[in-house]
């Protein structure tokens, strides 16, 4: 039983001994699975064994569980060492009726026959009795009594879920000889279980999403697997780029409707559902608020208290030391209230707001509690102009300490303003920049749409259009039709609306001047000093960084970086790429792609980074797929060539890599003029890559000098750290200038990416008198980036230079460890060891011959084997045992 080795060992220790062992755990912890494994292993050891299922309906009058015992013995005939115990079974069957339990004599006779029946299991060693779900028996202690009296080895599983209370468990555990508690499995065990359940490669984001949604249930194997199967059954998992992914990563997993916790909460009726919805919407609910809840919803206070106690007991709610209730398992709410939680919560908030507004409460309500209920009630609460001054006052006071709460109250105040109220313009002027400052761009889109619907374009259509366009760019959703129609045609709105429209075609103007024209009116402290500059203002030069661009236009104090949406995803991916944390990039890229087919510059940039990462990790098929998604009209032609070159030379086509690189250098000025600044994003990386390709091809002076001249030309035009490093590296290679290489390393250590630093270290290693420390640093960076392909390339360069490669954990100098092989590579390796041809391997695995060839290339690079024969011999001799998956 996977992940329960310690518990199985503890149970196995009592085998053949006259003891009672109790296995306790919450529903789904694997008690039944563990008992099934014990039954499988013990039944071959000699003594008789029976397995009793108490989960089947046992009549409440059958205190000894005699019917379940009889059924177990009938099922166990093949496992009982002698002839079936027909006589005691007949006696038990005759006495097992309700009236027997009403007579002391008949009850004693029935117990005696049960003892005689269990005694039939024994011999030279005690028999074994396994009792599943003993908590379901009318009296758990009585059902084990007869087997325990005989001296059988009794192993019983007991469910503890906080609902039935601890009394019955305590009564059984008091005379148990040993208790084994099944606790939560650790994350890595749960991840392995999910991988097995998926039966195909699983996207890296699925397991963390399940853990976040399940909270304290995340270590419960039954709950995790059932929730995963519910995702599959409901069509919320989709295959993309060879992985099983969440179709909508923004919507968390939901507990299955038949889960024990869902059933327990449903049993609490309407009150339980309202409490759950209220707590989920506000994030918390205090016990001190319970009297107001009872009065507002018309429930008895004592009954509400009992419901809270029951919800806490089963784990639906958690109550801290201050009496604050929270929901520990987010996946619970949509399971209990599918599609209705938001509306139900709004209704409860409305009832609470109306109750508090009546003013008959003693003492008077806390104004902040009233403001929260008004805000969360939304449009369900009828317009109440009298609350506007209170909400505006509270929002202004909350602004310095809690701007997100202030924004919520400003929005509520706007909702309750009467038409023509002069407070509307004042509230709007406070709210919209606050939503930008807090990074709430979805809220910004809603607020602009609401204001256009209520008041038209107002007095500042340029600002309204800028806010609408800003929200569209950050959320990945175009400006809504009604908003666009209301603003279109006004000259003040043209720049912002055009920017947004072009953004969603993948051909957005990325010049700072055009972004300034679109959003500059929102800057609080006047225009940026260099809004008209043609290059990036953060010194990145040839990098694409829309967050930095917009921050520069709006000002650091006014702009809040997004936490969700495509720009936030791009920022995370670029941060991880530059920082060398590549493991999660493919999953992040897939999530962005699945969020909706889009042609924004962000989508194209992420696809190209994903293509680069996949090719660097040796997954050429996925890299090519990402490149194909960008299309020939990609807004980043230089970055696309850079990624395509990486795929070409890593897969062995060096000549194609050279042709791609040189073709991109033709007419660079015209290219930039046609595509704008986006056209040269990545030009520095491309030129460094081209210089390395030329160096590896023989290091001829003339092409390296041309590459250096291109780098200097682009640096003179755009500036930035990336192009400055490109100038230094290309100069170092063209002129064998080790000082320039050292300067590139120093520059990139301070503000460059890890892969760029790796190339700079390699440059120094190519030229330095003592290349060892530089090769070793480059090798260590490659190790951190993941995969074995880059490490192998560096190792080969080290050997060519006479430098001994570092020894990895497997003890092989410069070899990637067995873990470097992917699952497909491992399976291909095993089949090569069996002597299969590429065609036979392709047929066996259901892939193309080309896929087999590409993967074998990687296997040779990672293992150091020179041929198929060398690889087959290594497998047969056990030198690659850890590489080969077990059949």
């Amino acid at each position: 039983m996977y992940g329960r080795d310690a518990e199985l060992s503890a149970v196995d220790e009592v085998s053949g001994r006259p003891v009672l062992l109790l296995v306790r755990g919450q529903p789904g912890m694997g008690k039944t699975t563990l008992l099934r494994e014990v039954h499988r292993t013990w039944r071959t050891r000699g003594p008789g064994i029976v397995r009793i299922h108490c989960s089947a309906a046992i009549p409440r009058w059958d205190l000894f569980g005699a019917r379940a015992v009889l059924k177990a013995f009938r099922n166990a005939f093949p496992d009982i060492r002698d002839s079936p115990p027909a006589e005691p079974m007949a006696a038990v069957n005759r006495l097992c009726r309700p009236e027997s339990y009403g007579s002391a004599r008949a009850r004693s006779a029935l117990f005696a026959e049960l003892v005689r029946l269990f005694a039939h299991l024994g011999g030279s060693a005690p028999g074994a009795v396994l009792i599943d779900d003993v908590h379901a028996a009318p009296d758990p202690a009585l059902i084990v009594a007869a087997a325990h009296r005989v001296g059988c080895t009794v192993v019983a599983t007991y469910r503890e879920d906080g609902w039935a209370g601890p009394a019955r468990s305590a009564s059984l555990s008091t005379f148990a000889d040993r208790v084994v508690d099944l606790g939560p499995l650790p994350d890595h065990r749960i991840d392995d279980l999910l991988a097995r359940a998926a039966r195909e490669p699983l996207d890296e984001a699925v397991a963390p999403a399940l853990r976040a949604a399940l909270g304290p249930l995340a270590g419960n194997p039954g709950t995790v697997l059932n929730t995963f199967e519910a995702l599959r059954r409901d069509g919320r998992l989709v295959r993309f780029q060879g992985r099983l992914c969440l179709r909508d990563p923004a919507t968390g997993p939901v507990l299955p409707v038949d889960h024990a916790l869902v059933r327990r909460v449903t049993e609490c009726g309407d009150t339980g559902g309202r409490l759950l919805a209220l707590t989920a919407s506000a994030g918390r609910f205090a016990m001190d608020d319970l009297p107001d809840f009872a009065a507002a919803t018309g429930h008895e206070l004592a009954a509400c208290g009992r419901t809270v106690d029951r919800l806490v007991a089963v784990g639906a709610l958690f109550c801290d030391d201050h009496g604050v209730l929270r929901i520990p398992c987010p996946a619970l709410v949509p399971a209990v209230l599918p599609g209705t939680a938001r509306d139900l919560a709004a209704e409860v908030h409305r009832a609470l707001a109306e109750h508090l507004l009546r003013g008959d409460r003693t003492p008077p309500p806390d104004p902040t509690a009233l403001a929260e209920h008004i805000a969360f009630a939304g449009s369900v609460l009828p317009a109440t102009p009298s609350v506007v001054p209170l909400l505006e006052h509270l929002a202004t006071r909350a602004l310095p300490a809690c701007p997100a709460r202030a924004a919520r109250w400003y929005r509520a105040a706007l909702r309750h303003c009467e038409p023509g109220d002069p407070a509307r313009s004042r509230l709007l002027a406070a709210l919209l920049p606050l939503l930008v400052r807090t990074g709430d761009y979805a809220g910004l889109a809603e607020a602009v749409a609401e204001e256009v619907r209520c008041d038209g374009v107002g007095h500042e259509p340029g600002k309204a259009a800028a806010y609408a366009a800003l929200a569209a760019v950050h959320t990945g959703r175009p400006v809504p039709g009604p908003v666009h129609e209301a603003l279109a045609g006004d000259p003040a709105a043209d720049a912002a609306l055009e920017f947004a429209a072009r953004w969603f075609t993948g051909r957005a103007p990325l010049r700072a001047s055009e972004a300034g024209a679109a959003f500059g009116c929102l800057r609080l402290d006047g225009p940026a000093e260099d809004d008209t500059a043609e290059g990036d203002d953060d010194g990145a030069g040839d990098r694409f960084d829309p967050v930095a661009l917009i921050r520069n236009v709006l000002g650091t104090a006014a702009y809040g970086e997004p936490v969700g949406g495509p720009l936030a995803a791009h920022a995370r991916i670029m941060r991880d790429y530059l920082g060398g944390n590549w493991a999660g990039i493919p999953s992040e890229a897939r999530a962005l792609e699945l969020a909706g087919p889009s042609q924004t510059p962000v989508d194209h940039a992420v696809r190209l980074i994903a293509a680069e990462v996949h090719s660097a990790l040796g997954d050429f098929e996925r890299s090519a797929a990402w490149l194909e998604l960008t299309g020939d009209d990609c807004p980043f032609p230089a970055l696309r060539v850079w990624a395509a070159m990486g795929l070409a030379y890593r897969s062995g086509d060096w000549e194609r890599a050279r042709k791609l690189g040189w073709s991109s250098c033709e007419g660079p000025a015209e290219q930039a003029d046609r595509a704008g600044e986006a056209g040269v994003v990545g030009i520095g990386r491309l030129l460094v890559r081209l210089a390395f390709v030329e160096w590896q091809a023989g290091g001829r002076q003339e092409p390296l000098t041309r590459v250096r001249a291109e780098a200097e030309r682009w640096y003179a035009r755009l500036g930035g750290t990336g192009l400055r490093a490109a100038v230094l590296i290309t100069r170092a290679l063209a002129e064998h200038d080790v000082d320039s290489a050292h300067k590139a390393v120093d520059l990139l250590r301070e503000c460059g990416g890890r892969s760029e630093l790796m190339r700079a270290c390699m440059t120094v290693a190519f030229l330095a008198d003592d290349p060892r420390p530089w090769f070793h640093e480059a090798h260590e960076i490659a190790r951190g980036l993941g995969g074995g392909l880059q490490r192998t390339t560096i190792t080969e360069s080290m050997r060519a230079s006479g430098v001994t490669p570092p020894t990895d954990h497997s003890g092989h100098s410069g070899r990637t460890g067995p873990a470097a092989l992917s699952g497909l590579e491992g399976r291909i390796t095993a089949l090569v060891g069996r002597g299969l041809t590429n065609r036979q391997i392709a047929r066996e695995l259901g892939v193309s011959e080309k896929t087999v060839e590409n993967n074998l290339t990687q296997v040779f690079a990672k293992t150091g084997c020179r041929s198929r024969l060398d690889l087959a011999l290594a497998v047969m001799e056990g030198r690659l045992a850890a590489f080969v998956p077990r059949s």
Side-chain angles (χ1 to χ4, degrees):
M1 181 184 174
Y2 186 78
R4 296 295 189 191
D5 295 339
E7 291 86 347
L8 277 170
S9 296
V11 175
D12 203 48
E13 287 177 5
V14 305
S15 177
R17 295 163 53 191
V19 299
L20 168 61
L21 184 144
L22 188 64
V23 179
R24 296 185 305 197
Q26 293 180 345
M29 257 333 154
K31 302 180 298 298
T32 297
T33 306
L34 183 140
L35 207 65
R36 187 184 303 122
E37 179 65 14
V38 171
H39 184 249
R40 185 187 68 81
T41 56
W42 285 13
R43 65 189 303 181
T44 61
R45 295 185 179 177
I49 183 170
V50 294
R51 185 178 174 195
I52 302 170
H53 297 271
C54 294
S55 53
I58 297 178
R60 302 313 298 172
W61 53 263
D62 189 4
L63 300 180
F64 296 146
R67 287 191 173 182
V69 172
L70 286 173
K71 184 176 181 180
F73 269 85
R74 293 190 189 103
N75 293 335
F77 278 176
D79 300 325
I80 298 176
R81 58 185 181 82
D82 296 327
S83 59
E87 184 180 345
M89 287 180 66
V92 170
N93 187 54
R94 184 178 65 256
L95 292 168
C96 182
R97 53 185 189 272
E99 50 268 29
S100 295
Y101 287 99
S103 163
R105 177 176 295 179
R107 188 167 60 250
S108 297
L110 175 58
F111 185 78
E113 294 298 338
L114 284 169
V115 168
R116 194 156 66 101
L117 181 58
F118 282 116
H120 194 83
L121 294 175
S124 58
V129 178
L130 311 180
I131 307 177
D132 206 1
D133 291 337
V134 72
H135 56 271
D139 191 320
L142 289 179
I143 199 170
V144 304
H148 193 246
R149 172 76 61 85
V150 174
C152 291
T153 303
V154 182
V155 180
T157 65
Y158 195 99
R159 186 182 75 194
E160 288 191 326
D161 56 8
W163 189 260
R168 301 179 77 197
S169 173
S171 66
L172 189 60
S173 61
T174 50
F175 60 88
D177 299 289
R178 191 164 184 178
V179 176
V180 173
D181 287 306
L182 292 187
L185 287 178
D187 289 350
H188 71 280
R189 295 291 194 188
I190 290 294
D191 291 354
D192 290 344
L193 282 176
L194 280 172
R196 293 183 176 198
R199 299 185 297 277
E200 57 185 300
L202 198 61
D203 183 84
E204 295 84 353
V206 175
L210 276 167
R211 284 198 291 272
L214 294 176
L217 296 177
N220 185 311
T223 295
V224 172
L225 293 177
N226 289 338
T227 304
F228 176 77
E229 289 305 322
L231 285 172
R232 194 201 298 270
R233 185 174 58 250
D234 297 340
R236 296 186 57 201
L237 292 172
V238 60
R239 292 172 184 83
F240 178 72
Q241 295 267 334
R243 297 274 174 168
L244 198 60
C245 310
L246 290 169
R247 184 180 293 276
D248 181 9
T251 304
V254 180
L255 279 176
V257 293
D258 60 347
H259 190 273
L261 183 57
V262 177
R263 293 198 305 270
R264 299 306 191 204
V265 174
T266 304
E267 290 169 5
C268 291
D270 176 69
T271 303
R274 288 174 179 269
L275 282 166
L276 210 62
L278 181 66
T279 307
S281 66
R284 50 163 281 171
F285 178 72
M287 291 296 294
D288 291 343
D289 299 326
L290 199 59
D292 288 325
F293 171 84
T297 57
H299 294 92
E300 181 188 4
L301 178 58
C304 291
R306 288 193 295 272
T307 301
V308 169
D309 289 343
R310 296 174 77 187
L311 291 173
V312 170
V314 300
L317 291 176
F318 170 76
C319 185
D320 66 17
D321 295 338
H322 303 287
V324 175
L325 298 168
R326 292 184 175 83
I327 297 175
C329 176
L332 172 65
V333 179
V336 175
L337 304 167
T340 63
R342 184 185 295 269
D343 293 340
L344 181 59
E347 284 291 343
V348 178
H349 282 295
R350 176 197 59 77
L352 280 160
E354 291 176 342
H355 165 69
L356 297 176
L357 284 169
R358 282 195 288 269
D360 54 1
R361 182 183 185 276
T362 303
D366 176 9
T368 60
L370 173 59
E372 287 287 75
H373 290 308
I374 293 172
F376 284 117
S379 59
V380 175
L381 179 66
T384 311
S386 61
V387 304
V388 172
L390 172 67
L391 291 170
E392 183 179 9
H393 171 69
L394 291 174
T396 304
R397 285 181 54 190
L399 187 56
C402 190
R405 175 179 282 190
R408 187 161 63 241
W409 291 345
Y410 277 133
R411 288 191 68 184
L414 268 171
R415 194 177 293 116
H416 289 275
C417 272
E418 291 180 312
D421 187 336
R424 289 190 68 86
S425 59
R426 185 173 65 248
L427 291 167
L428 197 61
L431 172 64
L432 296 180
L434 181 57
L435 291 171
V436 175
R437 182 155 68 89
T438 55
D440 184 5
Y441 295 100
L444 179 65
E446 293 175 6
V448 172
E450 188 175 336
E451 285 313 300
V452 168
R453 179 179 58 82
C454 294
D455 295 340
V457 299
H459 300 295
E460 296 185 290
K463 281 193 172 183
Y467 281 123
L470 195 65
V473 167
H474 283 80
T475 61
R477 294 188 291 271
V479 175
V483 175
H484 192 279
E485 291 172 12
L487 295 168
D490 193 305
D494 286 347
L497 294 180
E498 287 175 8
F499 187 98
R502 283 200 278 175
W503 178 266
F504 288 96
T505 65
R507 290 285 176 182
L510 297 173
R511 293 184 175 89
S513 57
E514 292 170 319
F519 306 122
C521 62
L522 304 181
R523 190 176 180 93
L524 300 180
D525 54 354
E529 292 182 3
D530 51 358
D531 271 352
T532 59
E534 290 297 314
D536 283 352
D537 299 304
D538 65 349
D542 65 338
R543 287 185 185 168
F544 171 64
D545 190 347
V547 167
L549 181 66
I550 296 172
R551 185 197 304 115
N552 180 69
V553 172
L554 298 185
T556 302
Y559 179 65
E561 292 194 13
V563 294
L567 262 64
H570 174 264
R572 285 193 302 271
I573 288 170
M574 288 309 302
R575 185 166 55 247
D576 287 343
Y577 176 78
L578 294 173
N581 303 314
W582 288 10
I585 288 177
S587 178
E588 282 263 26
R590 286 190 287 265
L592 181 61
E593 199 72 27
L594 290 169
S598 187
Q599 295 299 318
T600 74
V602 159
D603 295 293
H604 286 294
V606 167
R607 289 164 185 159
L608 292 172
I609 293 298
E612 168 67 12
V613 168
H614 275 291
S615 74
L617 299 180
D619 192 344
F620 302 147
E621 202 170 326
R622 299 283 172 265
S623 178
W626 281 111
L627 275 171
E628 187 177 354
L629 282 174
T630 62
D632 294 332
D633 61 345
C634 172
F636 305 111
L639 196 66
R640 190 175 193 276
V641 170
W642 165 74
M645 285 180 67
L647 174 59
Y649 81 75
R650 286 168 180 143
S651 57
D653 196 343
W654 288 82
E655 188 56 34
R656 172 171 166 75
R658 291 182 71 246
K659 288 180 179 179
L660 284 169
W662 285 115
S663 67
S664 70
C665 293
E666 296 174 359
E670 293 80 0
Q671 179 190 50
D673 290 337
R674 286 195 308 270
E677 291 169 26
V680 293
V681 167
I683 190 69
R685 295 176 190 170
L686 187 156
L687 292 171
V688 170
R689 178 157 287 172
L690 180 56
F692 264 75
V693 168
E694 288 292 351
W695 178 272
Q696 297 286 1
R700 291 179 297 131
Q701 182 70 30
E702 187 272 333
L704 285 171
T705 301
R706 283 179 58 196
V707 178
R708 186 210 66 199
E710 289 292 329
E712 290 174 346
R713 185 185 314 176
W714 281 111
Y715 177 61
R717 176 170 180 173
L718 297 175
T721 300
L723 279 167
R724 172 63 179 156
V727 168
L728 292 169
I729 291 174
T730 56
R731 180 186 300 159
L733 293 175
E735 301 177 4
H736 292 249
D737 181 0
V738 71
D739 289 338
S740 291
H742 279 292
K743 290 177 182 177
V745 169
D746 293 340
L747 179 65
L748 292 171
R749 274 199 212 287
E750 184 176 350
C751 50
R754 297 292 290 167
S755 60
E756 285 91 344
L757 177 59
M758 179 182 71
R759 289 195 177 277
C761 290
M762 289 290 290
T763 306
V764 180
F766 291 153
L767 304 172
D769 292 334
D770 183 6
R772 288 175 300 174
W774 307 102
F775 272 131
H776 282 275
E777 182 173 355
H779 190 276
E780 191 58 33
I781 293 173
R783 183 190 298 277
L785 295 178
L789 184 59
Q790 294 186 112
R791 225 155 56 235
T792 300
T793 302
I794 295 171
T795 297
E796 290 171 355
S797 295
M798 295 172 80
R799 286 201 177 96
S801 301
V803 176
T804 302
T807 302
D808 66 10
H809 298 299
S810 67
H812 296 288
S813 178
R815 297 280 185 260
T816 60
L821 287 186
S822 69
L824 181 58
E825 290 166 354
R827 291 193 293 274
I828 290 173
T829 300
L831 295 175
V832 169
R834 287 164 47 187
L836 273 66
T837 66
N838 283 3
R839 178 172 296 180
Q840 291 170 327
I841 292 172
R843 190 182 305 117
E844 177 86 10
L845 299 178
V847 299
S848 68
E849 284 190 66
K850 188 66 176 175
T851 298
V852 175
E853 291 173 8
N854 289 338
N855 278 271
L856 267 178
T857 300
Q858 297 313 304
V859 170
F860 291 147
K862 294 176 181 181
T863 62
C865 295
R866 301 284 183 180
S867 65
R868 295 175 68 90
L869 178 60
D870 188 14
L871 183 63
L873 287 172
V875 173
M876 288 187 289
E877 293 170 4
R879 288 186 279 124
L880 301 178
F883 280 91
V884 184
R886 295 176 183 176
S887 58

